[in-house]
Every structure is written in structure tokens, then in C-alpha cells.
Amino acid sequence: VGKKLAMHIVAAKPTYQTPEDVPTDVVEKEKQILLEQMADSGKPAEILEKIVNGRMRKYYEGVCLTEQGHMLEEGNPKVSKALKDLGLELVTFKSSFIQ
């Protein structure tokens, strides 16, 4: 299990363990970028909010280990689900990838 998770981490290069670990300023900046991209769409604010929330889920799937699809498990379940199904819990994670 540990080897597969390590291989996933090396391949996927997550920055954070969970969405809650993403700093507030990073989240706000990402939301602002998304809102600016859709500023001229003419969509109502509540629709824009739903779109931003959906895109933020996608963002978390890219940068948060627990939200990523496990590359080495059958069916690519989220890492959090794959660990839970095995009765395991990820206690700590620290990214050390140089971008």
C-alpha cells in the first residue's frame, strides 16, 4: 500500500494533503482568477458561484492528495477513499516538490 501511494505522489505531485490545508489566500486568488475569466459571460451571480465551486473541486483534485484519483488502484478511486477502504488514514503529508 505504501509503495503504491508513494508512486502516486511522485507521479501526481500534490501540493497539499486536503482542501482544508490550502491557504485561504491561495483559494481566494484562484476564485478571483476564475471569476475574472467569466466576468463577461453575462451569467447571473448564483450560476457563476456554482461554476466556480465546480472548478474549485477540479482545482483541489489537482493539488490535494486526498482528492486525487489514485493512479495505481483499480478504477482510480480518490486517494482518501482508497485509504479508507483499506482501513487506513493519512495522518501527515508534506510536499517537497520544487516547482
Side-chain angles (χ1 to χ4, degrees), residues 8 24 28 34 38 53-54 56 63 73 82-83 90:
H8 169 86
T24 305
E28 291 306 315
L34 293 171
M38 297 181 292
N53 288 339
M56 287 305 295
V63 300
E73 291 294 327
L83 292 174
L90 183 63

Side-chain angles (χ1 to χ4, degrees), residues 3 13 29-31 44-45 53 56 60 73 86-87 94:
K3 184 177 179 180
K13 296 180 178 59
K29 181 179 176 187
E30 191 65 28
K31 284 182 179 180
N53 288 339
M56 287 305 295
Y60 292 138
E73 291 294 327
L86 294 169
K94 182 175 180 179

Side-chain angles (χ1 to χ4, degrees), residues 12-16 56-65 67-68:
K13 296 180 178 59
T15 308
Y16 307 101
M56 287 305 295
R57 278 193 297 276
K58 267 309 218 195
Y59 172 75
Y60 292 138
E61 287 174 7
V63 300
C64 299
L65 176 60
E67 301 304 302
Q68 293 178 333

Side-chain angles (χ1 to χ4, degrees), residues 42-89:
K43 292 183 174 24
E46 60 273 0
I47 299 297
L48 289 177
E49 185 177 337
K50 288 181 182 182
I51 293 170
V52 167
N53 288 339
R55 289 191 180 175
M56 287 305 295
R57 278 193 297 276
K58 267 309 218 195
Y59 172 75
Y60 292 138
E61 287 174 7
V63 300
C64 299
L65 176 60
T66 58
E67 301 304 302
Q68 293 178 333
H70 198 305
M71 295 177 179
L72 301 174
E73 291 294 327
E74 186 76 31
N76 295 64
K78 284 187 177 183
V79 170
S80 58
K81 182 178 180 344
L83 292 174
K84 184 178 178 183
D85 289 350
L86 294 169
L88 301 172
E89 177 184 1

Side-chain angles (χ1 to χ4, degrees), residues 2-51:
K3 184 177 179 180
K4 283 184 177 182
L5 184 58
M7 290 170 64
H8 169 86
I9 290 170
V10 169
K13 296 180 178 59
T15 308
Y16 307 101
Q17 181 175 334
T18 67
E20 293 78 27
D21 295 331
V22 181
T24 305
D25 60 320
V26 173
V27 171
E28 291 306 315
K29 181 179 176 187
E30 191 65 28
K31 284 182 179 180
Q32 189 61 39
I33 290 169
L34 293 171
L35 287 170
E36 287 173 7
Q37 290 174 349
M38 297 181 292
D40 297 332
S41 69
K43 292 183 174 24
E46 60 273 0
I47 299 297
L48 289 177
E49 185 177 337
K50 288 181 182 182
I51 293 170

